[in-house]
């Protein structure tokens, strides 16, 4: 089944009791049993929910994974994966991570005796050198946030496999429409489904997908034992959003491509980060492992000051200044003070998150209107 069919049909059947084509919202906390233990596979709302099951199966199919689990947020999904680890374990992560992930690693899990090392994941020898007998997990985001660098999933997966280390990939920026990390050897895929998967800026949702039954069993145990589960209504909203994921991603990608090329020739713009440029340092890898280059673009100004960046962000009309990404409407953001504010200044500068860096989540409006908006804001 092709992706644009899977979004509508994989794991989704009409409701057997009524024929309702839309998956019902099973808004219940518990399920009646005929006699103790005599039930239809549903006991308690945290443990199982039919709306959630459909979403989990659908997301697993989209990622070409055997198993899917949903969580109350992307962070809850990441947190649950971290709970697979034990004190003394080490994690090697990309150095250009979502700010909240960096915060969870360094401010929460470091306290429990898990050690985190960060590297760019561009040089496989450097990655090799960071691995010790205690390394349990490699954590990767590609395209990365906000610099949109691309990490070679197959190369990292090969190293992880050789060393018996899990490779976990946060696939939020690409979405399964553009990239399926399991195909390149990832063991665990994590999503903030709040972003492209939900797509309409109306739900917070997370997901973990995997193929390995032992990993799945542990994660499923944790989903119930820890309890960061999403509501049935949020599962419904996410399922509703997914139905248009294929067409939305095409529009996001086409618009981002047009805007990246527009920005690149603008006299006030210094650099544009977009993996679809054929001179992007990782273009060949992006072309191989992604089906298109995504809806995110970031850029810096020749006037690399906070004030210059803020001036642009105040001036846009269609690009709304807000955290988040991946919704149908275009957003503009300032990583240095917004999404990446929890990253220390020197770390931030090292990875290229300069004061004037502006991140665009390009929506699905008409490209001409978006360009006119940027043109007046940059004037
Ligand atoms: C937003 C985001 C998260 C966190 O997800 P929430 O749903 O906000 O908890 C994790 N990773 C990436 C790449 C994100 O963009």
């Amino acid at each position: 089944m092709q992706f644009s069919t899977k979004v509508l049909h994989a794991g989704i059947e009409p409701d057997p009791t009524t024929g309702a084509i839309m998956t019902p919202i099973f808004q219940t906390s518990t399920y009646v049993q005929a006699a103790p233990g005599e039930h239809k596979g549903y006991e308690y709302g945290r443990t199982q929910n039919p709306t959630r099951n459909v979403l989990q199966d659908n997301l697993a199919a989209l990622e070409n994974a055997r198993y899917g689990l949903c969580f109350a947020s992307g962070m809850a999904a990441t947190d649950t994966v971290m709970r697979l680890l034990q004190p003394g374990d080490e994690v090697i992560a990309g150095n250009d991570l979502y700010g909240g992930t960096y915060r969870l690693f360094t401010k929460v899990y470091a306290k429990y005796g898990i050690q985190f090392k960060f590297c760019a994941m561009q040089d496989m020898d450097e990655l090799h050198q960071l691995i010790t007998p205690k390394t349990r997990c490699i954590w990767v985001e590609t395209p990365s946030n906000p610099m949109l660098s691309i990490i070679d999933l197959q190369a990292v997966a090969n190293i992880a496999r050789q060393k018996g280390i899990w490779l976990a990939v946060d696939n939020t920026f690409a979405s399964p429409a553009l990239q399926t990390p399991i195909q390149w050897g990832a063991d665990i895929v994590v999503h903030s489904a709040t972003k492209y998967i939900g797509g309409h800026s109306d739900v917070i949702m997370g997901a973990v997908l995997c193929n390995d039954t032992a990993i799945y069993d542990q994660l499923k145990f944790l989903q119930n034992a820890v309890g960061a589960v999403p509501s049935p209504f949020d599962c419904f909203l996410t399922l509703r959003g997914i139905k248009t994921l294929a067409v939305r991603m095409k529009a996001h990608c086409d618009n981002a491509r047009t805007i990246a090329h527009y920005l690149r020739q603008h006299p006030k713009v210094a650099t544009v980060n977009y993996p679809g440029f054929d001179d992007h340092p990782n273009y060949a890898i992006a072309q191989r492992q992604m089906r298109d280059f995504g809806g995110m673009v970031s850029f810096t100004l020749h006037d690399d000051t906070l004030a210059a960046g803020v001036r642009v962000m105040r001036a846009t009309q269609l690009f709304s200044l807000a955290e988040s990404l991946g919704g149908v409407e275009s957003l503009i953001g300032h990583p240095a003070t917004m999404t990446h504010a929890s990253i220390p200044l020197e770390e931030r500068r090292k990875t290229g998150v300069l004061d004037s860096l502006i991140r665009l989540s390009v929506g699905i409006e008409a490209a001409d209107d978006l360009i006119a908006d940027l043109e007046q804001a940059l004037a």
Side-chain angles (χ1 to χ4, degrees):
M1 219 189 275
Q2 292 194 25
F3 188 81
S4 52
T5 307
K6 278 193 205 172
V7 290
L8 296 164
H9 295 289
I12 303 173
E13 297 290 342
D15 174 44
T17 60
T18 63
I21 193 160
M22 289 302 300
T23 306
I25 303 167
F26 285 88
Q27 191 71 41
T28 187
S29 62
T30 192
Y31 307 87
V32 176
Q33 310 190 8
E38 207 178 296
H39 54 72
K40 300 182 164 79
Y42 294 95
E43 298 157 277
Y44 185 63
R46 170 165 30 81
T47 322
Q48 311 101 348
N49 178 276
T51 317
R52 190 171 90 208
N53 283 356
V54 173
L55 175 60
Q56 292 181 157
D57 292 349
N58 181 250
L59 281 173
L62 299 188
E63 281 288 357
N64 298 324
R66 211 173 298 154
Y67 305 111
L69 291 165
C70 288
F71 296 89
S73 67
M75 289 320 304
T78 300
D79 173 81
T80 305
V81 173
M82 283 298 112
R83 286 172 196 267
L84 296 170
L85 306 179
Q86 297 189 11
D89 288 348
E90 292 178 4
V91 176
I92 305 172
N95 64 357
D96 186 20
L97 288 184
Y98 175 68
T101 303
Y102 180 83
R103 181 176 57 198
L104 180 76
F105 288 177
T106 57
K107 295 262 161 53
V108 180
Y109 278 95
K111 261 194 339 213
Y112 294 109
I114 294 169
Q115 209 196 321
F116 295 89
K117 298 174 182 173
F118 298 93
C119 75
M121 304 269 174
Q122 298 295 326
D123 175 355
M124 293 305 121
D125 290 335
E126 183 193 11
L127 174 60
H128 249 295
Q129 280 161 18
L130 292 176
I131 294 172
T132 76
K134 293 178 174 173
T135 310
R136 279 288 297 287
C137 177
I138 298 176
W139 187 280
V140 161
E141 254 178 59
T142 178
S144 72
N145 177 19
M147 297 309 291
L148 303 166
S149 33
I150 302 293
I151 291 166
D152 186 338
L153 290 175
Q154 194 169 34
V156 176
N158 285 343
I159 293 175
R161 183 125 320 157
Q162 263 171 37
K163 299 276 183 180
I165 299 167
W166 289 326
L167 171 60
V169 178
D170 180 336
N171 202 30
T172 300
F173 265 44
S175 93
L178 305 184
Q179 173 174 281
T180 38
I182 285 176
Q183 161 192 1
W184 303 107
D187 300 287
I188 297 171
V189 174
V190 174
H191 275 287
S192 170
T194 309
K195 315 292 168 55
Y196 287 107
I197 289 177
H200 293 74
S201 316
D202 55 7
V203 66
I204 299 285
M205 176 68 65
V208 181
L209 303 310
C210 67
N211 261 350
D212 182 86
T213 307
I215 294 176
Y216 171 70
D217 287 344
Q218 289 180 66
L219 288 170
K220 190 173 163 57
F221 167 82
L222 287 166
Q223 185 194 42
N224 182 53
V226 178
V229 294
S231 75
F233 182 61
D234 286 352
C235 293
F236 169 86
L237 281 176
T238 309
L239 276 166
R240 187 187 207 269
I242 287 172
K243 291 176 198 297
T244 55
L245 179 58
V247 291
R248 279 189 284 112
M249 278 319 288
K250 182 172 187 325
H252 284 297
C253 292
D254 289 347
N255 278 353
R257 192 175 357 263
T258 306
I259 286 173
H261 283 97
Y262 158 77
L263 286 171
R264 194 173 222 196
Q265 52 75 50
H266 197 286
K268 289 195 179 162
V269 172
T271 55
V272 181
N273 305 307
Y274 173 65
F277 287 142
D278 59 13
D279 58 356
H280 184 286
N282 310 121
Y283 178 70
I285 300 163
Q287 227 187 6
R288 187 176 73 232
Q289 76 188 18
M290 299 176 76
R291 288 176 275 278
D292 204 337
F293 303 104
M296 302 299 295
V297 179
S298 63
F299 63 100
T300 57
L301 303 172
H302 285 301
D303 180 5
D304 183 43
T305 59
L306 217 55
V310 169
R311 198 174 321 118
V312 174
M313 283 175 275
R314 265 188 204 285
T316 54
Q317 303 285 317
L318 291 175
F319 284 88
S320 302
L321 177 60
E323 307 240 4
S324 199
L325 63 112
V328 285
E329 56 288 295
S330 291
L331 298 182
I332 189 166
H334 187 233
T337 57
M338 295 168 74
T339 49
H340 288 61
S342 52
I343 297 178
L345 184 69
E346 62 279 16
E347 284 298 315
R348 180 159 77 62
R349 290 247 168 84
K350 244 192 269 171
T351 57
V353 184
L354 302 181
D355 288 342
S356 74
L357 185 76
I358 292 171
R359 190 188 80 173
L360 301 178
S361 170
V362 181
I364 65 170
E365 301 93 338
D368 288 351
D369 290 332
L370 294 177
I371 286 179
D373 191 31
L374 291 170
E375 181 76 16
Q376 63 82 23
L378 284 164

